[in-house]
């Protein structure tokens, strides 16, 4: 799930469309704000750039529990967190949830961003790689986060294939 206000022009709100599509998904990836906008899950108004990663992790876990309850066929939920203080500075990390367990990646930080475009897609590619190779939960979120983070240093839409 990746909500972009300027790209959503279908005559219906996301909450009117996405639950019908999500009901068929085994894996859901996005962020807690997109889940709120597209699925109606809770998100706290007080979350901001100063919120700690641990608090975001706790909120991500609560959001995942709501999604698992609404969509019981879903077995994997991942969220990205990327914060920019300026165009070159990024904090980047992710969370991964199953109905039984919750994981958070290490926080990756850089002041050398080349291109932010595609980092979410690269994160998803790393997530799929970890899932299809039956990695454990911590390794899955670490690979997904590393793939998204590495994409920040590659110009254009495609990463360099490293995890």
């Amino acid at each position: 799930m990746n909500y972009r206000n300027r790209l959503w022009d279908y005559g219906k709100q996301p909450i009117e469309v996405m639950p019908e599509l999500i009901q068929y998904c085994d894996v859901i990836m996005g962020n807690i704000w997109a889940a709120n906008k597209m699925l109606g899950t809770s998100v706290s108004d007080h979350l901001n750039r100063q919120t700690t990663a641990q608090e975001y992790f706790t909120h991500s876990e609560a959001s995942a529990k709501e999604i698992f309850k609404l969509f019981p066929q879903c077995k994997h939920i991942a969220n990205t967190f990327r914060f920019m203080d300026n165009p070159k500075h990024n904090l980047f990390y992710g969370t991964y949830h199953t109905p039984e367990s919750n994981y958070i990646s290490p926080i990756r930080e850089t002041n050398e961003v080349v291109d932010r475009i595609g980092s979410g897609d690269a994160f998803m590619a790393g997530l799929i790689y970890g899932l299809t190779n039956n990695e454990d939960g911590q390794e899955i979120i670490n690979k997904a986060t590393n793939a998204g983070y590495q994409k920040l240093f590659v110009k254009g839409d495609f990463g360099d294939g490293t995890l």
Side-chain angles (χ1 to χ4, degrees):
M1 297 180 299
N2 189 358
Y3 178 73
R4 296 289 186 262
N5 187 24
R6 286 179 264 155
L7 297 177
W8 192 273
D9 188 18
Y10 301 107
K12 292 184 177 185
Q13 292 299 308
I15 192 75
E16 298 175 83
V17 175
M18 293 307 293
E20 187 175 336
L21 298 174
I22 293 292
Q23 70 177 325
Y24 301 107
C25 296
D26 296 320
V27 179
I28 298 173
M29 181 264 175
N31 64 52
I32 58 176
W33 299 278
N36 170 259
K37 186 75 172 173
M38 299 175 133
L39 302 177
T41 57
S42 303
V43 68
S44 179
D45 291 337
H46 82 277
L47 299 174
N48 60 44
R49 172 64 180 88
Q50 305 313 314
T51 302
T52 66
Q54 184 56 50
E55 189 172 350
Y56 274 118
F57 180 55
T58 300
H59 198 84
S60 180
E61 183 179 353
S63 177
K65 283 181 183 177
E66 287 185 65
I67 294 170
F68 288 132
K69 186 175 181 180
L70 290 169
F71 305 98
Q73 81 296 338
C74 179
K75 303 300 180 232
H76 310 274
I77 298 172
N79 290 297
T80 57
F81 294 89
R82 184 180 67 202
F83 300 100
M84 302 178 338
D85 295 319
N86 63 60
K88 293 287 186 184
H89 179 254
N90 273 231
L91 292 177
F92 192 97
Y93 61 98
T95 62
Y96 170 62
H97 311 275
T98 69
E100 300 82 28
S101 302
N102 301 283
Y103 306 89
I104 185 170
S105 73
I107 298 171
R108 307 291 304 266
E109 182 174 11
T110 183
N111 287 298
E112 302 297 327
V113 173
V114 173
D115 194 344
R116 294 179 304 117
I117 305 292
S119 61
D121 295 336
F123 179 97
M124 187 64 180
L127 181 73
I128 292 168
Y129 178 88
L131 290 171
T132 58
N133 284 290
N134 297 310
E135 306 271 351
D136 69 51
Q138 191 61 55
E139 190 62 27
I140 289 169
I141 192 57
N142 290 350
K143 284 195 168 148
T145 300
N146 288 342
Y149 179 77
Q150 290 300 320
K151 173 53 191 82
L152 297 174
F153 307 101
V154 178
K155 183 95 176 125
D157 290 338
F158 298 101
D160 64 4
T162 61
L163 297 176

